[in-house]
Amino acid sequence: MRISIAACLMAGLFAITGMALAGDGASRVYQDAKVANFAIPGHDYSSPGFESLSFWSGPRGQVVDYEYGANHKRVRLRTLGSSADGKGFAVRFPNGFVLDVVPQDKALQVSDRAGKYSKTFEWQYEGPVDGRGTFCQPCVDEPDAIGFVREHFMK
């Protein structure tokens, strides 16, 4: 009896996991995709001032995720096309807030169109530190990160 209950629980868990992964089309983008991660320098993951942008691109499309705060709240952004100055591209938050993302040298200048938000995001290392942690397989290396964003998100 225990084996059949355990088997039913496992089958249910696999079914729920499969539905969660297939639930929104964006989550499937992560499969076989590469990512370029950028964050505000001087704020680590545990900092309340932490902000990062992750640019995912692969055979199933593109996704931009914004993560912030010590609790790592994540928001999916929508790409809109060219930035106001035409040198980058724009992203929109679910609440309608728009940011322009402009690649500059090795960083991204991110600002709103009202002039109230302007921050520089630099490439963010994802991997082992002092021998602890795991290597980020889908992450784009620093020398390729800006080119990756330009190629996959600027139209």
Side-chain angles (χ1 to χ4, degrees):
M1 183 69 170
R2 285 186 182 157
I3 293 173
S4 62
I5 291 173
C8 287
L9 288 173
M10 289 301 286
L13 180 61
F14 287 130
I16 290 170
T17 302
M19 288 187 295
L21 291 175
D24 69 2
S27 64
R28 288 178 282 189
V29 170
Y30 298 124
Q31 192 174 9
D32 300 324
K34 290 292 200 180
V35 62
N37 296 305
F38 292 84
I40 296 175
H43 295 280
D44 65 13
Y45 285 109
S46 62
S47 166
F50 175 76
E51 291 182 66
S52 74
L53 289 166
S54 296
F55 299 90
W56 289 87
S57 183
R60 293 176 175 90
Q62 288 86 23
V63 168
V64 179
D65 289 327
Y66 171 74
E67 192 172 340
Y68 64 98
N71 294 333
H72 306 282
K73 293 180 182 173
R74 185 175 300 176
V75 178
R76 174 79 30 87
L77 307 181
R78 182 174 171 224
T79 55
L80 299 176
S82 292
S83 61
D85 65 4
K87 296 179 181 178
F89 59 97
V91 293
R92 180 180 310 217
F93 284 76
N95 67 1
F97 186 63
V98 174
L99 291 175
D100 288 327
V101 179
V102 179
Q104 295 180 339
D105 297 321
K106 294 183 177 185
L108 299 173
Q109 185 59 43
V110 180
S111 57
D112 71 337
R113 294 177 179 179
K116 295 180 180 179
Y117 181 96
S118 180
K119 296 184 180 182
T120 301
F121 286 68
E122 295 179 356
W123 179 78
Q124 179 183 17
Y125 173 73
E126 296 276 340
V129 176
D130 297 329
R132 295 178 148 179
T134 58
F135 178 73
C136 176
Q137 195 66 32
C139 290
V140 175
D141 291 330
E142 184 176 15
D144 303 323
I146 291 292
F148 177 85
V149 170
R150 284 183 194 275
E151 178 183 347
H152 296 279
F153 294 90
M154 292 181 64
K155 298 174 179 162

